[in-house]
Structures are given as structure tokens and as C-alpha cells.
Amino acid sequence: MNSKEFKSLFGKIAKENDYLQAFGGWYKESPECIAILELQKSKYGDYYMLNVKIFIQGSFNTNYSPTKELIKSPMGDIGKQIMNDVLSFDKPMPDELRTEGLKELFSNSIIPFVSNLMTKANIIDLESKGEIVLLSSVKKELEKLMK
């Protein structure tokens, strides 16, 4: 499997999980948040890093939509970078194993992470439990939005 085939497979699995494609990334929206998945090719090897970014609607007086600038934004209100062997072509792997590993990455990591962060109430709850860390400016914005 080459890089182009891998991105196509990633997009297929993302679509199966209700993500829409735009500007080289994938996104999912709720009334309160928008989640972005962006594969970032490494400059140092033949592998990708997966950037998962969550933008909270209304934060910083902004209503977000899936624009090129948003998809390519270096960070969101909440972010996570995922590195996994299935994203690395430096580590040879049979196509079937890479495909199954990518499906598992979605089901075990991406879907739970994103699903838990699609409402403001959940974000506050996870932050209070110490499961995520919010930048102080994002925390203040979220508190303003919840009043």
C-alpha cells in the first residue's frame, strides 16, 4: 500500500464513521463543536501523524465551519496528536494488517476521543476529572459560554 492508497483507505474509514471530507482533511460537526482529522506527513520519515482538533462553537466569538483555514489550522481549542504503527510506512506491514489496525485506531481511539468532546458539558466534565487539559484561555471562553 502506498501513501495515496493509505489516504484513500483512511478517508473511506472516516466516511464510514460519519466524517465528511474537505480540503485534505475530514470533519464531523455537532451543534456545539466541530472535530477535524488531519493526516500530517512527517518531514523526518515515511509516516503520518494524525492531528485531531476540536473547535468549540462560539468560543472567541467565532462560529466555525469546515474551511481550508480551519482544516489546516495548527491547533484547535482542544487537540491531540496520534502516532501509531499503522500510520508509519517506515515499519513494513501487510495491507490487511494495516487496514485492520486503522479500523481499530478509529474504534479504540479516534471515535471515543471525539465523541466525548462534542458537547461543552462533556468538555468541562473531562477537564474537571483531569482527563483532558485545556489552555487557560479556552477554559475561560468555555466558562463564559456556559453562563
Side-chain angles (χ1 to χ4, degrees), residues 13 15 29 34 36-37 39 54-55 73 88 92 103 107 138:
I13 295 170
K15 185 177 180 181
E29 294 180 277
I34 183 169
I36 307 288
L37 304 179
L39 284 172
I54 309 290
F55 295 88
S73 174
S88 175
K103 288 177 180 178
S107 62
V138 173

Side-chain angles (χ1 to χ4, degrees), residues 38 52-55 70 72-79 135 138:
E38 177 196 23
V52 183
K53 303 172 272 196
I54 309 290
F55 295 88
L70 191 72
K72 299 297 182 187
S73 174
M75 60 187 294
D77 294 327
I78 302 164
L135 295 172
V138 173

Side-chain angles (χ1 to χ4, degrees), residues 19-100:
Y19 283 85
L20 300 172
Q21 187 171 9
F23 307 105
W26 297 266
Y27 70 95
K28 181 184 275 192
E29 294 180 277
S30 77
E32 297 183 41
C33 297
I34 183 169
I36 307 288
L37 304 179
E38 177 196 23
L39 284 172
Q40 179 182 350
K41 185 80 167 89
S42 172
K43 296 176 185 173
Y44 304 106
D46 193 13
Y47 62 91
Y48 287 97
M49 295 161 286
L50 176 62
N51 298 317
V52 183
K53 303 172 272 196
I54 309 290
F55 295 88
I56 303 165
Q57 293 293 7
S59 64
F60 306 102
N61 296 315
T62 304
N63 287 315
Y64 296 100
S65 61
T67 62
K68 183 176 182 177
E69 292 74 26
L70 191 72
I71 301 285
K72 299 297 182 187
S73 174
M75 60 187 294
D77 294 327
I78 302 164
K80 178 178 186 175
Q81 190 170 67
I82 297 173
M83 297 184 72
N84 187 290
D85 286 349
V86 300
L87 303 174
S88 175
F89 291 89
D90 286 336
K91 298 177 182 170
M93 182 182 299
D95 290 355
E96 299 79 25
L97 191 59
R98 191 175 304 278
T99 300
E100 285 308 309

